[in-house]
Amino acid sequence: MFSEWLSRLRFAVFRKHRSEVDEELQFHIDRQIEANLAAGMSLPEARRQAAIAFGGRQRTREQCREAAPSWTMELVLRDLNFGLRGLLRNPGLAIVAVLTLAVAIGANSTIFSLLSQALLRALPVRDPQQLVVLNFAGATDGHTHSEGGDRPGHHYEFSYPMYRDLRDQNRALSGLIASAIYNAGATWQSHSEAVDTELVSGNYFEVLGVRPAVGRVFNAGDETAPGANAVVVLNFDYWRTHLAEAPVTGRPISINGVQFTILGVAAPGFRSAVWGRTPEIYVPLTMQKVIEPDWDYLADHHSYWITVAGRLKPGLNAEQASASMNPLFYALREQEFAGAKDRSANNKHHFVDASRLNLESGARGFSPIREDIRTPLIVIMGMVVLVIAMAVVNVASLLLVRAANRVREFSIRYAMGATPPQIVRQLLCEGMLLGLMGSALGLAIAPETLHLLIRWMQGRAGDVSAFAPTLDWRVFAFTAGAMLAGTVIFSLAPAVQFWNPRLADALKQQAANVPGGSLRFRRTCVALQIGFSLLLVVGAGMFVRTIQNLRNTDPGFATDHLLAFHLVPELAGYPGPQVAPVEQRVLDSISGLPGIRSVGATNDSDLVGEGRGGDVYVSGYTPKPDENFDAELPWVSEGYLQTMGVPLVAGRLFNTSDSANSLKTAVVNESFARHFFARPQDILGHHFGRPDRPKTDAVIIGIVRDVKHTSLRDPVQPTCYTLFQQGERPTGLTVYVRTWQPPDTAASSIRAAVANIDSKLIVDDLSTMTDQIDQQIMPERTIALLATIFGLVAALLAGIGLYGILAYSTAQRTREIGIRMALGARRGSVVGLILRETLVLAGIAVGLTIPVAFLATWAVRSQLYGVSLADPMAYAAGILVIAAVATIAGFIPARRAAGVDPSSALRMD
Amino acid sequence: MPPSTDLLQGTLDMLILRAIASEPQHGWAIAQRIQQVSNNILQIGQGSLYPALHRLEYKGWIKAEWGASENNRKARYYSLTRTGRKQLDTEMENWTRLAGAINVVLQEI
């Protein structure tokens, strides 16, 4: 029984050996000959009769083979082999088609993997659909620390007391978590670096359902009295890349100079409840004073600094929970108002009556940066769709050209006895092979592309990225499947003619005349390709112009030979009163270095999209009712304005006589002065300050020219500079160093000088100003880079498509060209004939596309800067590229056509 | 030569199985045997005999072994497997029932 199964298994894969069959058949014939001899025939007669009785030997052999179970497989292999040979007969075309498919599949999978992570995918936590993000309407008075994402009626930052009351008193949520992100200095085994630190509530990991990878994560008990529980949980990626997966549980790590104990490592893949945050370590909220020593947030009802999310109780939806929680929120706001300074009816209206708690679905997590990157990602996605459309059209037209060239081959094969199913099977195999090879190549390049793209978008090497380099398999499967289907369908095109009853005629005519309809179709294909590529090339031009404009925007100060780094002595454990002195020592020692022109510092980095500001008063000016004037309020060092090269308009700049203990002074820019006084100079000598903060009062001693401060895109803000030594509290600084030297040399001497003062001080993010600006315009640069790549790919595809059709149509016209030349046409005029046709086609396509390009540019105008929608440069460049591509694509077949020997062309049929 | 009768679909397999039921036989002998027993009415063409033999072997109903023929030549002998024997029983039963029924119909109507 067992051997029976074994033999059946064997036969399923192999068939009987050929010689075995031959021997068996031979025996049969010999036996028949013997029988015939025995019946009295002569030997030749006996042989003849035996052979007649047996019939066709080869046919029997074949029938024996066909009886084998492995026959079907053999057929498939044979078809595949045949298909491969068919493709190899024209390898150039096959390679182009495979590459086209691979680019389309790879690009789509890569970009959509990023898009879905940012916009669609749920957080990697337990039951993300139960999560809600909290925000509220109602006035906030006091200090707000915002990451962005707020909009009128939706403040996402809560105070810690409010969070605690909501968490403990609500009845709609099974858990409410809070978190905030800060920068801190971590020292692990005598190596110090700045790390993104997420302050989280004790129940954070429990409510999200994030498990530890090593040791344990926080539980509700870790949220203790302020400052009492110095424990930390590490992010998995940070632990892997920065700590080399060292055993960490129970080990000490120094954070801002305070000893913390590592409890464990959070599960791989988890980053934060807020999408886009990339914390490297997690610390309990109650340790806020260590992470942000300048402030005391925990007990303050008017410091809004934590984002809050909750998990709905099973069976409740967000509206029901909101209805249940709003009375509680209202009551809490009333209590807060009782402690407010301004208890006017007007303020009560804004603070209490207008307050409302909103619960938004939070499966994807609250994310202030999602809105920022949504448009760039969608623009890129749009470009990918264009490239895919081009790829499909390109592969289709390539296959059709190929099909047309093979009419004769198939006619002959048909005439020789191939059945239509056999021919269809062969075509199917060719199409499948093309599609499969394209998908395989796409799969091979996609993860690497994804990796490169994430690396490129990442600020510093080794940072935890908000994007995980994992390919979205559904997208890949979908794209590859669609491309495969498209390829197979178009590769079947030649089979259509076998339903043509006039096949014999086609064969007789050498199948040279293709109906006009199909030529028109191919021309449409080429026109479409030219259109798509023009769109992409013009788009690329627009984005490249945008970066040029952003880079060349005059911020009001020179950005060359300028190095910048962050210096936050508190990250090295300096207590408040010692911060400003050590910062001054660093500035002094750097300015004493050889090759340094000047040094300046501010707590408000320039041109990196951040700002520190607030409302102000100026003595001698009465604000209009309901006036809401906010100014940028950077604290700077004495040499800052000189280092940045901000020109003085009136009065004086800070100088060495201004110190921590001297009279407090301030310098304002022209916009600031002009807001208060018609003649800007009038502001000199007046006092400036923050309402209700007497320590901020300072005399305005100078006016400087407006310079861009927050970002290159935003207009100039009214700004008031004060000295950091005279500030209310210690602050970290961004130090700017203007050098004569190459940046690398200066960088190492700066590091050495700082280490000389205290090796624990972290010189964070030391880079040139130009690099920092590049970093800030990263979305624009990413779009421009991808647009350029896609534009070039598109132009190349269009060129190939154009070449394909022209090569085919000129080959069809060999005879016509031969006649023309026999009648005296010169080679030049033949080339001109073909080229003219090409350029007319390209011209029509360009003409039709320009309005579309205009519309597309209008749709992405928010991503452009300083480029007119009809930017002549971008359009001219686009049209030039298309013209060049069309000329090259047309010239090759045109020259070949001109090389036709008239006599042989005429003799062809 | 008397006219050959086309075999009903599927009956060839049954005839082959029956021809080797008592003892192993090689291909030529199977054809001869069927021809003789049927008084030359059933003639089996080689073109259908060997593919059928191979098909049955692939199905696992019969097995083949090399052996010495009556005149001492190497020949391939086919014999029934256990599954083949069961299959033969079923087919013969079916056939008897079918043939009986057809006979009844032909005589009674």
Side-chain angles (χ1 to χ4, degrees), chain A residues 584 636-642 654-656 658 723-725:
Chain A
Q584 192 58 54
V636 301
S637 75
E638 168 254 311
Y640 171 78
L641 293 168
Q642 292 89 325
F654 301 116
N655 60 35
T656 38
D658 299 305
L723 283 171
F724 80 93
Q725 299 100 319

Side-chain angles (χ1 to χ4, degrees), chain A residues 4 8 11 15-16 20-21 23-25 27-28 30-32 34-35 53-54 60 63-64 67-69, chain B residues 26-28 32 46-47 50-51 54-55 57-60 66 69-71 73-76 78 81-83:
Chain A
E4 229 171 81
R8 286 178 77 171
F11 286 137
R15 54 187 161 80
K16 298 171 88 157
E20 209 178 341
V21 177
E23 203 174 338
E24 191 177 10
L25 298 182
F27 170 77
H28 185 105
D30 291 350
R31 193 68 192 75
Q32 186 64 46
E34 276 172 35
F54 193 86
T60 312
Q63 282 170 338
C64 285
Chain B
H26 51 72
W28 185 79
Q32 288 297 312
Q46 288 69 24
Y50 284 96
H54 290 184
R55 193 171 57 243
E57 190 185 354
Y58 288 131
K59 278 184 184 168
W66 289 105
S69 73
E70 51 278 11
N71 53 356
R73 280 202 42 190
K74 212 171 132 208
R76 212 156 154 70
Y78 291 93
T81 65
R82 209 182 305 178
T83 357

Side-chain angles (χ1 to χ4, degrees), chain A residues 376 453 455-459 547 550 771-785:
Chain A
L453 203 59
R455 279 268 299 283
W456 151 271
M457 291 192 298
Q458 209 168 34
I547 337 183
L550 283 174
D771 283 351
Q772 293 202 355
I773 292 175
D774 272 358
Q775 194 58 42
Q776 197 216 336
I777 58 173
M778 185 52 83
E780 289 86 354
R781 285 174 62 216
T782 309
I783 296 185
L785 172 83

Side-chain angles (χ1 to χ4, degrees), chain A residues 814-831:
Chain A
T814 307
R815 190 181 175 143
E816 174 204 327
I817 292 165
I819 293 172
R820 280 173 189 272
M821 289 181 78
L823 291 176
R826 275 174 315 177
R827 291 179 60 135
S829 66
V830 171
V831 171

Side-chain angles (χ1 to χ4, degrees), chain A residues 174-211:
Chain A
S174 63
L176 188 67
I177 57 169
S179 60
I181 190 102
Y182 287 95
N183 208 17
T187 308
W188 165 257
Q189 292 178 346
S190 77
H191 173 72
S192 300
E193 60 189 338
V195 290
D196 285 342
T197 305
E198 190 167 47
L199 288 164
V200 299
S201 55
N203 60 357
Y204 186 71
F205 294 104
E206 273 174 342
V207 171
L208 289 175
V210 173
R211 310 183 60 80

Side-chain angles (χ1 to χ4, degrees), chain A residues 60 70 112 155 200 237 620 686 711 757 791 793 887:
Chain A
T60 312
S70 59
F112 202 83
H155 294 286
V200 299
D237 286 348
H686 283 272
S711 102
I757 291 171
V793 168
T887 313

Side-chain angles (χ1 to χ4, degrees), chain A residues 816-901:
Chain A
E816 174 204 327
I817 292 165
I819 293 172
R820 280 173 189 272
M821 289 181 78
L823 291 176
R826 275 174 315 177
R827 291 179 60 135
S829 66
V830 171
V831 171
L833 179 79
I834 309 274
L835 269 187
R836 198 178 317 125
E837 199 180 325
T838 317
L839 290 176
V840 164
L841 185 61
I844 293 172
V846 166
L848 289 175
T849 312
I850 281 181
V852 183
F854 193 79
L855 275 180
T857 322
W858 183 79
V860 300
R861 66 196 180 286
S862 71
Q863 299 300 307
L864 300 175
Y865 176 81
V867 190
S868 125
L869 291 189
D871 187 73
M873 286 283 283
Y875 282 94
I879 292 170
L880 210 67
V881 167
I882 296 300
V885 164
T887 313
I888 295 170
F891 190 67
I892 302 169
R895 227 185 47 168
R896 195 182 305 145
V900 162
D901 172 23

